[in-house]
């Protein structure tokens, strides 16, 4: 049997097959795939880049930070997982930067199979004191950048009959907390965007899903502890116990590896029928 290149055609060809879907296994599920992960010089994005690379995908990493440290990260990823890893340092705060990222990434790596919209920032303040510029910056990076990047890769994914768009939303895409107006609004928006993209991609082998982490121990959370302590006028230990993990029933931070493993599954062929979802990885927080 001639094997088609596209998942969409594969599914149509095997509709009457008696064999069960392939097991996930531990092999290089994503060998030959090309992935862009935004905001992957740190935290969750780096964890996702590592997991995708371990599964065999070539990766474009992106983000801000010390260029020498980023180059070390890039080389370590490529060496450890024996895949191609490129770095594109575009600032995604505006449409032009996002378009530059996709353009440079595809010029270096080829067409994008997997897009992970992960770059995000946070700012915590009571709404009456919330700086308008912080609102604009959070909406631009946490919401609009996901739209611009999706827009730039979508036609190609549809034409090739395969695509995976994974938006790193948050438990705050499903529920709110005080002092996080812009972040909560952006993350709820990302879930709406995810559903729309899923509907538009559904007949073209392109899925779109939002992962909704609860608290994951990363530099973003580390920074919040100080901000929350000031906003609530309580100690660092009290922020961790009574604010951050107060609503997380398992009383534990999720890990970047757990988020990465879910991204690998969604990116694999076995993720083909999962689309338009918002998947909590939050220790039960949003079950309340
Ligand atoms: P982080 O601060 O560790 O990493 C953020 C990444 O985004 C870094 O690589 C940074 O360089 C990059 N970045 C920041 N501004 C950028 C810009 N203008 N252009 C390009 N890249 C930029 O944060 P994290 O905790 O790993 O968060 C990653 C994502 O996960 C965010 O969207 C965040 O909202 C979401 N999230 C985090 C948690 C958590 O507990 N850490 C929980 C839920 C959701």
């Amino acid at each position: 049997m001639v094997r088609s290149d596209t998942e969409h055609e594969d599914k149509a060809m095997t509709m009457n097959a008696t064999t069960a879907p392939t097991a996930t296994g531990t092999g290089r599920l994503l060998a030959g795939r090309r992935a862009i992960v935004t905001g992957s010089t740190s935290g969750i994005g780096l964890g996702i880049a590592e997991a995708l690379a371990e599964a065999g995908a070539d990766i474009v990493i992106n983000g801000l930070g010390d260029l020498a440290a980023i180059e070390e990260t890039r080389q370590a990823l490529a060496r450890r997982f024996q895949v191609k890893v490129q770095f594109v340092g575009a600032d995604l705060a505006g449409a032009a930067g996002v378009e530059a990222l996709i353009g440079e990434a595809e010029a270096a790596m080829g067409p994008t199979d997997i897009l992970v919209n992960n770059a995000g920032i946070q700012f915590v303040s009571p709404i009456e004191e919330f700086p308008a510029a912080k609102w604009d910056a959070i909406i631009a990076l946490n919401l609009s950048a996901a739209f611009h990047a999706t827009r730039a890769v979508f036609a190609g994914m549809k034409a090739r009959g395969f695509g995976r768009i994974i938006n790193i939303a948050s438990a705050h895409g499903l529920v709110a907390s005080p002092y996080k107006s812009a972040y909560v609004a952006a993350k709820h928006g990302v879930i709406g965007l995810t559903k729309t993209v899923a509907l538009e991609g559904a007949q073209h082998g392109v899925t779109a899903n939002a992962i909704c982490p609860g608290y994951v121990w990363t530099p973003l959370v580390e920074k919040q502890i100080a901000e929350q302590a000031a906003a609530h006028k309580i100690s660092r230990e009290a922020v961790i116990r009574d604010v951050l993990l107060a609503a997380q029933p398992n009383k534990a931070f999720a890990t970047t590896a757990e988020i990465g493993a879910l991204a690998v599954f969604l990116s694999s062929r076995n993720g083909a029928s999962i689309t338009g979802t918002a998947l909590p990885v939050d220790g039960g927080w949003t079950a309340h």
Side-chain angles (χ1 to χ4, degrees), residues 2-3 5 17 25 48 63 73 87 96 128 132 141 150-151 159 162 200 202 205-206 243 261:
V2 177
R3 206 168 160 73
D5 282 342
I48 293 171
T73 301
F87 168 66
E128 63 274 28
L141 185 64
T150 300
R151 182 171 173 274
F162 181 91
E200 293 188 28
V206 181
V243 181

Side-chain angles (χ1 to χ4, degrees), residues 83-287:
V83 294
K84 290 185 192 134
V85 183
Q86 321 267 351
F87 168 66
V88 179
D91 185 329
L92 308 184
V98 182
E99 283 156 16
L101 166 66
I102 304 298
E104 284 180 43
E106 295 201 335
M109 174 178 70
T112 312
D113 300 307
I114 300 160
L115 168 67
V116 183
N117 290 306
N118 166 79
I121 48 173
Q122 172 65 284
F123 189 78
V124 178
S125 162
I127 199 156
E128 63 274 28
E129 293 157 22
F130 208 99
K134 290 284 186 195
W135 169 275
D136 289 344
I138 289 174
I139 298 297
L141 185 64
N142 296 19
L143 176 57
S144 301
F147 163 74
H148 295 304
T150 300
R151 182 171 173 274
V153 300
F154 205 55
M157 286 182 171
K158 280 168 63 181
R160 292 186 298 278
F162 181 91
R164 295 287 187 265
I165 294 171
I166 300 171
N167 295 323
I168 306 307
S170 168
H172 280 124
L174 300 166
V175 295
S177 294
Y179 312 125
K180 296 185 176 177
S181 52
Y183 188 85
V184 169
K187 295 299 188 182
H188 276 67
V190 161
I191 291 176
L193 172 67
T194 305
K195 291 177 184 172
T196 305
V197 174
L199 295 179
E200 293 188 28
Q203 294 191 36
H204 304 278
V206 181
T207 69
N209 292 285
I211 296 178
C212 301
Y215 282 101
V216 184
W217 190 266
T218 68
L220 181 141
V221 167
E222 185 61 45
K223 183 167 173 283
Q224 265 185 70
I225 293 171
E227 290 173 358
Q228 289 268 14
H232 292 275
K233 297 186 174 44
I234 53 177
S235 72
R236 183 186 158 81
E237 293 65 34
V239 169
I240 293 173
R241 188 189 60 241
D242 301 333
V243 181
L244 297 188
L245 297 182
Q248 202 147 304
N250 69 346
K251 300 294 170 203
F253 288 97
T255 67
T256 60
E258 290 167 8
I259 310 295
L262 179 54
V264 169
F265 184 80
L266 291 173
S267 299
S268 73
R269 285 180 180 272
N270 282 336
S273 302
I274 303 175
T275 195
T277 68
L279 296 162
V281 184
D282 65 359
W285 173 356
T286 52

